[in-house]
Amino acid sequence: MRHFVSTRGGPPVSFAEALFRGLAPDGGLYMPVGDLHLDEAALPDGSSLADTACWVTSTLSGDGVTSALLAEVSAAALDFPIPMVEIEPGVHVLELFHGPTLAFKDVGARFMARLMHALDPGRRHRTVLVATSGDTGSAVARAFHGMDGYRVLVLFPARGISSRQRRQMTTLGGNVTAVAVDGTFDDCQRMAKEAFADARVTEHAGLTSANSINVGRLLPQSVYYVHAALALGWRDTAPTFVVPSGNLGNLTGGLLARRAGMPVAGFVAASNVNRVFPDYLYSGVLRPRPSVPTASNAMDVGAPSNLERIRWMYDDDLAHLREDVRGAWCDDDETRRWIADVYERTGYVLDPHAAVGYGSLRKTPPDAGPSVLLATAHPAKFPEIVEEATGRTVPAPDTLASTLEAEERIVKIRPDIRVLRRMLIED
């Protein structure tokens, strides 16, 4: 059976234990150990995302979860396409924003929610606590909305996300509580971690996580990398993946896919001015710092949690990590210029996060082979920035348009763990 271990040590646990614990008791993040190699003899016959997901997650989760269950979960969760569009010779955009909340996090959140519901050993009441800098909250809230036995608390910075991102969380109601924190995403993430570190709160509330700190969110993020590599010919070519990077869960998913045998030339970790990870790659010195609000707000992270996983995977060998990952960054002015430039030359509309990725690709282009830029959110979620840069209106898809006039329900709190603790225990 595949085992999972904390990045900080401790005894191995099963996939189900890691899934429901979220954060390890020692504060570390769970990672799979053992032979992670994808069996090429079992390459999926079809081209559906669900087929790819079953193949990949069966390898990464091990035999603790049956392939039949993973196939069922994959089919139910990943019922939307992820087209790959070549916007110029050798540069492909992988559109990960065709799920219900128009962001790549629908892949991990929907997969995790359905898997939790299928595996829940005690059918006890559970509270999903999630901190978001943009799209995670809406994806998780939507994935668990209306699910019996689960309530969801989403912590988001009151002034740190777009109005459309906010509305996707605050108009759901029911078992979803949207909590606006008078602070930054780093405050939200700190409070969530402090709540998970409190054994009394965790037990009383049946607390589980849904950020990319949860291995159930992380493993499915490897799926679309493999899906893109399959579409490009698997062993015929080795692409460079360009990854808009904030909390580094997306990049970690790609690195896991590489470890499992996916052909890849390398990765570009694309950041905005919250460039903690690129700076670490360049200098070898890790300097977490307060995040700064930007146009690419889902990447506004000053202390990326998943860097702990990446360092663990590479045995803290920075030279080895640099062989696989290059870092680059763009500020807001560059972001707007790249949105305008790509639209003027190709007619393709990038959202601010993909624009950071495109600019970073231009700053550190691959030596050879195709590039795959992960487009992590629909441009309609950022109308002010995108429409100013392109001079055109970006129509809101129906799933987004329906939230624009709906009533919002928001709980406002200060960034104090005592306030959050009361919410978790008293409700």
Side-chain angles (χ1 to χ4, degrees), residues 335-347:
T335 300
R336 291 182 172 89
R337 287 200 299 270
W338 285 120
I339 295 173
D341 172 76
V342 170
Y343 178 67
E344 289 169 5
R345 289 188 295 105
T346 72

Side-chain angles (χ1 to χ4, degrees), residues 213-260:
I213 62 174
N214 190 308
V215 74
R217 261 276 312 280
L218 176 68
L219 299 191
Q221 292 186 139
S222 299
V223 168
Y224 39 77
Y225 288 93
V226 173
H227 199 62
L230 288 169
L232 290 171
W234 196 242
R235 289 301 177 192
D236 296 334
T237 186
T240 295
F241 286 97
V242 185
V243 189
S245 299
N247 213 24
L248 299 178
N250 208 2
L251 177 62
T252 305
L255 294 172
L256 267 176
R258 180 196 177 282
R259 175 169 286 193

Side-chain angles (χ1 to χ4, degrees), residues 314-395:
Y314 283 83
D315 295 322
D316 227 359
D317 184 340
L318 184 58
H320 186 196
L321 177 59
R322 285 169 173 161
E323 292 174 1
D324 293 337
V325 184
R326 305 189 303 276
W329 63 279
C330 296
D331 63 24
D332 279 357
D333 288 341
E334 291 175 294
T335 300
R336 291 182 172 89
R337 287 200 299 270
W338 285 120
I339 295 173
D341 172 76
V342 170
Y343 178 67
E344 289 169 5
R345 289 188 295 105
T346 72
Y348 192 86
V349 181
L350 298 172
D351 90 289
H353 306 80
V356 169
Y358 186 88
S360 297
L361 173 63
R362 287 289 163 245
K363 291 180 179 183
T364 177
D367 296 329
S371 301
V372 178
L373 167 59
L374 304 191
T376 55
H378 197 292
K381 300 182 82 167
F382 311 92
E384 296 86 358
I385 297 162
V386 173
E387 292 176 4
E388 178 187 0
T390 62
R392 58 160 284 189
T393 300
V394 182

Side-chain angles (χ1 to χ4, degrees), residues 3 11 41 55 66 80 104 106 108 139 152 191 194 214 222 237 260 263 277 280 293-294 306-307 341 366 407 414 425:
H3 288 106
W55 184 48
T66 67
F80 51 89
F104 82 102
D106 283 324
V152 183
M191 292 168 67
E194 289 174 348
N214 190 308
S222 299
T237 186
F277 185 55
Y280 169 68
T294 73
N306 283 287
L307 182 52
D341 172 76
E407 179 185 357
R414 62 185 186 275
I425 289 178

Side-chain angles (χ1 to χ4, degrees), residues 64-208:
V65 185
T66 67
S67 294
L69 177 58
L70 290 171
E72 180 182 333
V73 167
S74 298
L78 307 180
D79 57 352
F80 51 89
I82 53 167
M84 191 157 58
V85 181
E86 189 171 18
I87 61 171
E88 57 190 55
V91 178
H92 304 261
V93 175
L94 187 64
E95 295 185 344
L96 299 173
F97 51 71
H98 291 280
T101 69
L102 310 177
F104 82 102
K105 298 186 177 177
D106 283 324
V107 173
R110 285 169 62 83
F111 189 95
M112 184 188 71
R114 281 155 179 77
L115 191 59
M116 278 186 165
H117 192 259
L119 292 179
D120 196 340
R123 294 291 177 191
R124 63 165 296 182
H125 179 82
R126 295 188 183 275
T127 300
V128 179
L129 176 63
V130 60
T132 184
S133 58
D135 293 320
T136 292
S138 55
V140 169
R142 181 69 176 266
F144 283 94
H145 186 229
M147 187 175 286
D148 289 343
Y150 287 81
R151 66 166 174 158
V152 183
L153 263 69
V154 184
L155 308 180
F156 65 93
R159 292 173 296 280
I161 63 175
S162 78
S163 62
R164 291 188 173 185
Q165 286 174 313
R166 185 190 72 239
R167 282 186 161 275
Q168 288 185 309
M169 297 181 285
T170 60
T171 58
L172 288 172
N175 64 330
V176 174
T177 302
V179 183
V181 177
D182 186 17
T184 66
F185 168 71
D186 299 323
D187 291 316
C188 299
Q189 184 165 255
R190 170 185 53 78
M191 292 168 67
K193 286 184 175 181
E194 289 174 348
F196 281 107
D198 188 323
R200 184 172 70 97
V201 171
T202 300
E203 175 58 28
H204 178 88
L207 210 57
T208 190

